[in-house]
Amino acid sequence: MWITAKASIIFVTLQYNVTLPATEEQATESAFLYYYGIKDLATVFFYMLVAIIIHAIIQEYVLDKINRRMHFSKTKHSKFNESGQLSAFYLFSCVWGTFILISENYISDPTILWRAYPHNLMTFQMKFFYISQLAYWFHAFPELYFQKTKKEDIPRQLVYIGLYLFHIAGAYLLNLNHLGLVLLVLHYFVEFLFHISRLFYFSDEKYQKGFSLWAVLFVLGRLLTLILSVLTVGFGLARAENQKLDFSTGNFNVLAVRIAVLASICITQAFMMWKFINFQLRRWREHSAFQAPTVKKKPTVTKGRSSRKGTENGVNGTVTSNGADSPRNRKEKSS
């Protein structure tokens, strides 16, 4: 029984905690901080199962009830479920991440992004945030089966999930958790706006304002991501005194790692902008194709009796199937 309880603790609670003694500035209490290790995989696995359960609850008690009322098609049904799940996750993560940023003074002091690197010791909130993020995106793999995702959509979903796991795990393992938190909150806010706009669009297709605002914030988000990344990695860490690779202290501040980090961020932002431009061009073509049949042709001016006859039989001088030669009008004449 004791062995079972001890083993369960590895899955439920955060591991690798250290206690820092109180200093003169903080004489009232000691600081409890955490670092990462191999046992975190067990914790991620447990909270991945929790994420699957929460996903099922939201699907059954919220999204399915709305789907029954709205009577969506199969395509809209799957997209509505995707946006419903992701908007809830993005909102929760964005609020949680913002709370951490405020409580740890990230906003008042931006130099904390690179100062005192490596950031190998994390607060409880910081480590639990990263564990939860990894658990959620790992849970997305079995959800592809549970949600019966179409085969043609699976490659897109795998790329989508893989990019999240690559960058979140990279920030966690390279002790760039401060920068990673700021970029995640920024990205999640923009993505939340897109998915909530899509939910409103499914309920009323005339709603387009949210997409316009999202398009502007998406571009600004990509610019801010690049600026913060270059400022932190390219300037802040590049000017640090300690630039030696040391696995024991978690210091990865060397030129090769900095180039790899900046390259991965820049390539990802370029890929997202490419997808964004294609999305906007597709929407523009669909809008143009929808507007084309409604464009009226200019009237052609003709002389004499034929002009009056053409006006009677058509619209703005163009002959239509409702003219005098239509079967209905011939029947009226014969009667």
Side-chain angles (χ1 to χ4, degrees):
M1 189 70 178
W2 179 79
I3 297 176
T4 305
K6 186 177 181 180
S8 62
I9 292 176
I10 299 176
F11 290 89
V12 178
T13 61
L14 300 183
Q15 303 298 308
Y16 305 106
N17 61 314
V18 294
T19 303
L20 298 182
T23 59
E24 294 180 357
E25 297 177 356
Q26 299 176 342
T28 57
E29 57 182 8
S30 301
F32 298 94
L33 301 177
Y34 296 81
Y35 58 97
Y36 67 81
I38 192 64
K39 293 181 181 178
D40 290 342
L41 294 176
T43 312
V44 170
F45 176 77
F46 173 78
Y47 286 102
M48 181 190 73
L49 300 179
V50 174
I52 293 175
I53 296 173
I54 296 175
H55 187 114
I57 293 174
I58 295 175
Q59 184 66 44
E60 182 175 356
Y61 293 100
V62 179
L63 298 178
D64 285 347
K65 290 183 178 180
I66 298 175
N67 281 321
R68 295 190 194 100
R69 293 181 180 179
M70 302 301 295
H71 303 288
F72 290 130
S73 62
K74 290 184 178 180
T75 304
K76 284 188 176 182
H77 183 272
S78 61
K79 291 183 178 180
F80 180 85
N81 289 338
E82 179 186 7
S83 292
Q85 294 285 351
L86 289 175
S87 60
F89 169 72
Y90 287 142
L91 177 62
F92 175 76
S93 298
C94 192
V95 172
W96 187 8
T98 304
F99 172 78
I100 298 175
L101 292 177
I102 296 174
S103 62
E104 298 191 10
N105 298 323
Y106 283 68
I107 299 176
S108 60
D109 187 12
T111 60
I112 199 173
L113 294 177
W114 62 84
R115 193 179 69 240
Y117 180 85
H119 307 135
N120 53 349
L121 295 179
M122 297 170 282
T123 62
F124 175 85
Q125 290 286 345
M126 178 72 78
K127 179 165 184 176
F128 193 38
F129 179 83
Y130 273 93
I131 292 293
S132 301
Q133 295 300 311
L134 293 171
Y136 181 86
W137 290 111
F138 272 117
H139 111 282
F141 288 116
E143 285 297 338
L144 295 177
Y145 173 77
F146 296 145
Q147 296 295 323
K148 298 179 181 179
T149 306
K150 296 180 180 179
K151 292 183 178 180
E152 56 270 20
D153 292 337
I154 291 179
R156 176 182 65 86
Q157 293 285 350
L158 291 177
V159 172
Y160 188 72
I161 298 168
L163 285 174
Y164 273 107
L165 287 174
F166 174 76
H167 287 87
I168 295 173
Y172 186 65
L173 296 176
L174 295 177
N175 292 318
L176 293 170
N177 41 68
H178 294 182
L179 176 64
L181 176 63
V182 175
L183 297 184
L184 277 177
V185 171
L186 177 63
H187 177 74
Y188 282 170
F189 175 75
V190 177
E191 289 296 295
F192 166 74
L193 183 60
F194 169 76
H195 286 285
I196 201 68
S197 299
R198 193 158 74 163
L199 291 177
F200 282 113
Y201 173 77
F202 287 148
S203 61
D204 183 7
E205 294 188 355
K206 295 181 180 179
Y207 182 83
Q208 298 285 343
K209 295 180 180 179
F211 290 115
S212 301
L213 178 61
W214 164 76
V216 175
L217 292 180
F218 182 89
V219 177
L220 293 177
R222 306 286 69 77
L223 291 176
L224 284 175
T225 298
L226 292 175
I227 291 173
L228 290 174
S229 301
V230 173
L231 183 64
T232 302
V233 181
F235 290 95
L237 295 181
R239 296 180 179 180
E241 295 181 359
N242 188 6
Q243 296 192 19
K244 294 181 179 180
L245 185 63
D246 189 352
F247 292 99
S248 61
T249 60
N251 185 15
F252 300 94
N253 187 17
V254 293
L255 180 61
V257 175
R258 293 199 302 269
I259 292 176
V261 169
L262 286 177
S264 63
I265 294 175
C266 292
I267 291 173
T268 303
Q269 301 309 306
F271 173 75
M272 294 176 66
M273 280 301 301
W274 177 69
K275 299 286 288 184
F276 171 78
I277 292 172
N278 287 336
F279 173 77
Q280 294 297 329
L281 289 176
R282 186 171 65 252
R283 284 189 62 205
W284 178 76
R285 293 193 194 100
E286 291 175 354
H287 181 73
S288 300
F290 178 77
Q291 293 292 334
T294 61
V295 177
K296 296 181 179 180
K297 297 181 180 180
K298 294 182 179 180
T300 56
V301 179
T302 56
K303 295 182 180 181
R305 184 177 177 182
S306 61
S307 174
R308 292 192 302 270
K309 184 178 179 180
T311 306
E312 292 171 358
N313 296 344
V315 178
N316 292 334
T318 58
V319 179
T320 64
S321 60
N322 293 326
D325 295 333
S326 65
R328 183 177 179 182
N329 287 344
R330 286 200 303 267
K331 185 177 181 180
E332 292 176 354
K333 286 183 179 180
S334 62
S335 63

